[in-house]
Amino acid sequence: MLDANNLEALGNFKEEVQSFKGKVVFVDHHLLPPVQNKKHLMFSDESYNSTASIIYDLLKSLGAGVNKKAAILLLNGIISDSADFRNATAYTFKQVSELLDI
């Protein structure tokens, strides 16, 4: 689950996630809620201003290539989740520059 740190944020999809037998990983850039579901892996890094930035760094660290279509999706995620760059950092623009080059 991307850009969500709790089941309540999932709306109608909450029940499907709860009944899923496999592992579910939540990736977000907001503070984790005090009570977490032990069934799910929760990852949050508040030093990022968007979940898409986390995913981009994860893909790079795994050596996974990012094609043009993925770069466009990541750029849209960074822009929207950073409140149209209102909470952007220099690192945000470094990532944006790399993605635009793709």
Side-chain angles (χ1 to χ4, degrees), residues 52 56 59 65-79 95-102:
Y56 179 49
L59 291 170
V66 174
N67 61 24
K68 182 178 179 178
K69 196 178 261 188
I72 291 168
L73 292 171
L74 288 165
L75 280 165
N76 279 300
I78 290 171
I79 293 166
Q95 286 186 315
V96 166
S97 174
E98 291 173 8
L99 289 165
L100 287 172
D101 281 341
I102 295 170

Side-chain angles (χ1 to χ4, degrees), residues 8-90:
E8 285 65 40
L10 304 179
N12 294 334
F13 196 56
K14 173 184 174 179
E15 291 176 21
E16 288 187 48
V17 172
Q18 284 178 313
S19 64
F20 182 68
K21 301 292 184 221
K23 295 195 184 255
V24 177
V25 178
F26 285 77
V27 179
D28 197 16
H29 63 105
H30 295 107
L31 184 64
L32 290 174
V35 177
Q36 298 177 28
N37 185 329
K38 303 293 186 225
K39 179 179 163 185
H40 307 300
L41 176 61
M42 309 293 275
F43 174 81
S44 179
D45 187 337
E46 292 182 88
S47 69
Y48 286 88
N49 64 358
S50 74
T51 301
S53 291
I54 296 170
I55 297 302
Y56 179 49
D57 274 354
L58 177 63
L59 291 170
K60 287 193 315 184
S61 70
L62 293 172
V66 174
N67 61 24
K68 182 178 179 178
K69 196 178 261 188
I72 291 168
L73 292 171
L74 288 165
L75 280 165
N76 279 300
I78 290 171
I79 293 166
S80 64
D81 209 15
S82 70
D84 293 327
F85 297 124
R86 281 191 293 275
N87 63 12
T89 65

